[in-house]
Amino acid sequence: MARFFYTALFILILPAILVRLWLRGRQAPAYRQRWLERFGLVSLGSNAQHGIWFHTVSVGEFIAATPVIKAVMDRYPDLPIVITTTTPTGSEQVQSRFADVMGKRVFHCYLPYDIPLLLGAFLKRLKPRQLVILETELWPNLLHCAKSKNCNVLVVNARLSEKSAKGYSKFPNLTRQMLNNIDRLAVQNDKDAQRFKQLGMPAEKMHVTGSIKFDLDVDMSIIEQGEQLRAQWGETRPVICVASTHQGEDEIALDAFVQLKKKLLDPLLILVPRHPERFNNVAESINNRELNLQRRTQGMAGLETHVMLVDTMGELLLFLAASDVCVMGGSFVENGGHNPLEPAALSVPVIMGPSQFNFAVICEQLQAAGGLQTVSEQDLPQQLLSLLESKQLRLDMGKQAMAVVEANKGAKQEVLALIQEQFNGEG
């Protein structure tokens, strides 16, 4: 009954969801494309059937899942892989990372809306044997429909903040039904496991594996390209990468940079907004401060550039590899922060704002080790100055950040074992 009322409510608000999607398409046209997929009407062909289906919401989840997906492909070379996302940026990343096998071995489409009729049509076409969901993208009808079609459901890298747990607890019947449709839950840490247990997840179905985000693969070519960029810009030139910013954070970063310019010789700011539809507005903010702007789509930063706006997708690791320090976005507004392990894996010191609930345990680990500093908006300019004036401090922080990453690797192998167990029907 709880799921029935949930479905009725979802159908009622669907027109509003579609209007919002259309409005977002004014700045990001990709949101107005491929709508049929969101209604379960996919045309991936018979080659996509009877495989493993990975659902990754957007860019962050897909990047985290990539090492696992590649390992599954190696282990099961004849098995088709279907990857769903909900955003165009996630779609672009999937098609870029697997360009050589897209449409042959790997297939992508958008996740249908959480309505049984739409999900039923999707599952009937693809007939997946296993669904692997990244993090906590839990939809009641998605889980119910998958199980009703004899598709094993595994949730990996699961996390559950205290705030999210309180939200789920307001709908106990719906939450319990949803959790009962999960065959295995690979959770990041003991705190999250306890929250899931309190919501009704059976302890015997849970496995604490750590975070697969520690198993980030960094290609040596990325490091080499980063070194080449530093040589091109001048190896002593201070370079700050402000990554994955949300609305309001670009102004914080730019104002801090203006203060730094008064005290440092020729610093370079690399600004990487999270969402493509904001690129033009961010460019306007840079120009309003009379800073020399270089848009990545128009070339690479030069000696005269003050700010390079990375208005492309999929290049963050490259620019982190060329930076002295990373300021991680989503943390100076109430958004919970983004993944600090990407700079940490490159031995780049990390600065974050106080909003870190998306990566609370990881941030605690990095900060305890000395690889991450948490600062307020007001203290950001001074903290950046302290780091950029001390090469030894940067080296120490970077080394400590990297050590945390290395010490916590291994979740990928545990997740792979769970996938294999479920896929082979042993669980």
Side-chain angles (χ1 to χ4, degrees):
M1 187 61 71
R3 192 170 57 82
F4 171 81
F5 284 116
Y6 161 81
T7 302
L9 178 61
F10 197 106
I11 292 171
L12 285 174
I13 67 173
L14 184 57
I17 294 173
L18 296 175
V19 168
R20 182 174 179 271
L21 200 65
W22 183 260
L23 292 175
R24 290 195 73 176
R26 290 186 301 184
Q27 292 183 307
Y31 277 101
R32 294 182 176 178
Q33 299 168 2
R34 298 163 58 192
W35 276 27
L36 288 179
E37 294 178 9
R38 299 183 187 272
F39 287 87
L41 302 176
V42 297
S43 55
L44 300 182
S46 60
N47 289 340
Q49 293 179 346
H50 306 294
I52 294 184
W53 166 20
F54 287 87
H55 176 55
T56 65
V57 187
S58 192
V59 176
E61 294 80 7
F62 170 70
I63 290 174
T66 299
V68 174
I69 295 172
K70 288 182 175 179
V72 169
M73 292 173 68
D74 289 340
R75 186 163 296 182
Y76 299 103
D78 299 321
L79 194 72
I81 304 293
V82 175
I83 304 172
T84 54
T85 63
T86 59
T87 67
T89 51
S91 173
E92 290 170 10
Q93 284 293 298
V94 173
Q95 297 186 56
S96 172
R97 294 284 180 109
F98 292 103
D100 56 332
V101 291
M102 187 59 59
K104 303 171 185 175
R105 176 82 192 282
V106 175
F107 305 84
H108 171 268
C109 62
Y110 289 125
L111 180 73
Y113 291 121
D114 201 42
I115 297 172
L117 182 65
L118 309 184
L119 289 163
F122 178 83
L123 287 160
K124 184 177 180 180
R125 284 173 169 82
L126 292 182
K127 301 178 177 64
R129 297 164 63 181
Q130 186 177 70
L131 167 60
V132 182
I133 299 174
L134 263 290
E135 301 198 2
T136 318
E137 181 72 355
L138 303 181
W139 295 94
N141 286 323
L142 170 63
L143 296 172
H144 172 81
C145 291
K147 285 305 298 175
S148 69
K149 298 295 184 181
N150 298 316
C151 176
N152 283 323
V153 178
L154 172 62
V155 180
V156 306
N157 218 44
R159 56 187 172 87
L160 188 65
S161 68
E162 186 176 350
K163 180 180 178 181
S164 295
K166 287 180 180 178
Y168 281 118
S169 67
K170 294 177 182 177
F171 308 96
N173 292 335
L174 183 63
T175 298
R176 196 174 299 110
Q177 290 175 23
M178 185 172 64
L179 294 178
N180 283 338
N181 284 317
I182 298 172
D183 292 294
R184 289 287 186 272
L185 182 74
V187 68
Q188 292 188 22
N189 56 66
D190 291 323
K191 287 184 180 178
D192 291 338
Q194 184 60 32
R195 293 186 188 117
F196 274 110
K197 185 177 179 181
Q198 289 170 353
L199 290 175
M201 186 70 192
E204 62 271 17
K205 289 186 176 184
M206 284 193 290
H207 304 261
V208 178
T209 61
S211 174
I212 61 173
K213 292 192 173 183
F214 284 104
D215 292 283
L216 176 69
D217 289 333
V218 179
D219 197 309
M220 279 303 299
S221 65
I222 293 290
I223 297 174
E224 292 169 0
Q225 291 175 54
E227 292 173 349
Q228 290 169 8
L229 282 177
R230 288 311 303 261
Q232 178 180 325
W233 294 333
E235 293 183 1
T236 59
R237 186 181 189 186
V239 179
I240 310 123
C241 181
V242 182
S244 298
T245 57
H246 289 250
Q247 186 172 354
E249 292 185 309
D250 309 285
E251 292 78 9
I252 293 171
L254 290 168
D255 290 342
F257 181 73
V258 169
Q259 294 186 49
L260 282 177
K261 280 182 82 278
K262 298 174 183 177
K263 300 177 180 180
L264 289 175
L265 179 63
D266 198 24
L268 172 63
L269 177 66
I270 302 172
L271 191 52
V272 191
R274 181 74 174 179
H275 301 111
E277 58 266 31
R278 297 183 48 249
F279 288 156
N280 290 335
N281 290 338
V282 176
E284 185 177 348
S285 294
I286 297 168
N287 288 325
N288 288 343
R289 289 165 175 77
E290 298 183 349
L291 297 167
N292 293 338
L293 165 65
Q294 175 65 57
R295 296 184 69 141
R296 177 67 181 105
T297 50
Q298 298 172 2
M300 189 61 77
L303 297 177
E304 302 301 318
T305 303
H306 294 143
V307 182
M308 182 167 71
L309 172 61
V310 181
D311 53 354
T312 57
M313 300 300 296
E315 292 192 297
L316 178 57
L317 281 178
L318 168 62
F319 292 112
L320 286 173
S323 300
D324 291 305
V325 61
C326 170
V327 179
M328 186 54 66
S331 61
F332 290 90
V333 294
E334 195 56 30
N335 196 71
H338 289 295
N339 187 5
L341 294 177
E342 292 179 318
L346 290 160
S347 299
V348 176
V350 186
I351 291 178
M352 291 184 71
S355 182
Q356 302 174 359
F357 59 80
N358 285 335
F359 295 89
V361 174
I362 289 173
C363 288
E364 288 171 7
Q365 289 175 287
L366 286 170
Q367 185 150 303
L372 180 149
Q373 295 177 346
T374 301
V375 303
S376 65
E377 173 185 340
Q378 294 73 23
D379 292 336
L380 179 60
Q382 182 56 50
Q383 198 60 50
L384 281 170
L385 181 63
S386 298
L387 271 173
L388 293 169
E389 285 184 331
S390 174
K391 182 176 181 180
Q392 189 58 51
L393 179 57
R394 295 197 306 273
L395 289 173
D396 290 343
M397 278 190 69
K399 182 178 179 180
Q400 289 153 353
M402 169 68 90
V404 171
V405 175
E406 291 298 320
N408 286 277
K409 285 186 174 181
K412 182 180 77 171
Q413 293 304 320
E414 293 192 47
V415 167
L416 280 173
L418 289 174
I419 290 175
Q420 187 171 5
E421 173 190 316
Q422 291 298 101
F423 187 74
N424 293 339
E426 298 171 7

